[in-house]
Amino acid sequence: TMPELYDVKRPGETHPWWVIEYMMGLDELGVTLHRAQGEYHESQLEIAPGLLLAHGTHAGPTGGAHKAIAARHETSRAQGHDHKQALTYVVRYRDGEPHQHVALSVGTMARRDLGYVADPDSQQGFATLTVHPDGYWNVELARYDDRRKRLVWRDQLYSV
């Protein structure tokens, strides 16, 4: 390592160069990186009114975006820990009023050949969130087929 580079900063900046938003030039692109507080497995961040984003701690039959998980939470929730893609809608009643919640597993864009498991069953893709000026939001999944090298998103087909 090169400890002398640890505190190198751009002129006029207070953060070191290796902070992800500066390293990737997100600030120059007008992109704001929001950080959740706490340990990443337990932290969560409200990314839209009524939608929490969490890394997640459950995978397999007890995790992800199925109705049992959606029913446990008082708000809509997106997570990625299980590396699956799923979108589930659940109606919960509070004070006699229906509230629709969304449970979202965003998938992963990691390569399958990284060697973590012998036959990974992860689902490649990502999710996008559109937030309207009044706070109303919608989530969508984009699916990547690594065998065919194609991405399907918003009724469009993209090829590598």
Side-chain angles (χ1 to χ4, degrees), residues 11-141:
E13 295 290 339
T14 58
H15 297 291
W17 67 273
W18 51 263
V19 173
I20 191 92
E21 54 264 52
Y22 295 110
M23 187 171 24
M24 294 182 68
L26 298 180
D27 57 328
E28 294 170 4
L29 295 170
V31 174
T32 302
L33 178 66
H34 298 275
R35 296 178 187 276
Q37 299 300 312
E39 189 67 30
Y40 80 94
H41 278 100
E42 302 299 329
S43 63
Q44 54 189 20
L45 178 69
E46 187 174 46
I47 57 174
L51 177 62
L52 295 178
L53 174 64
H55 178 269
T57 57
H58 295 88
T62 62
H66 58 78
K67 289 187 178 190
I69 295 298
R72 276 197 322 206
H73 299 284
E74 292 296 319
T75 187
S76 293
R77 187 175 177 86
Q79 65 100 37
H81 178 76
D82 62 354
H83 293 199
K84 303 277 193 271
Q85 278 198 312
L87 183 57
T88 302
Y89 295 90
V90 174
V91 175
R92 300 206 42 206
Y93 284 85
R94 287 193 300 273
D95 299 325
E97 293 290 320
H99 295 266
Q100 182 170 286
H101 293 278
V102 172
L104 171 69
S105 288
V106 300
T108 182
M109 288 302 290
R111 294 180 1 217
R112 292 181 194 273
D113 62 352
L114 296 177
Y116 296 126
V117 294
D119 295 312
D121 66 347
S122 57
Q123 295 157 357
Q124 292 182 302
F126 57 87
T128 56
L129 169 68
T130 302
V131 182
H132 298 274
D134 66 355
Y136 192 78
W137 53 265
N138 187 50
V139 293
E140 299 171 273
L141 291 173

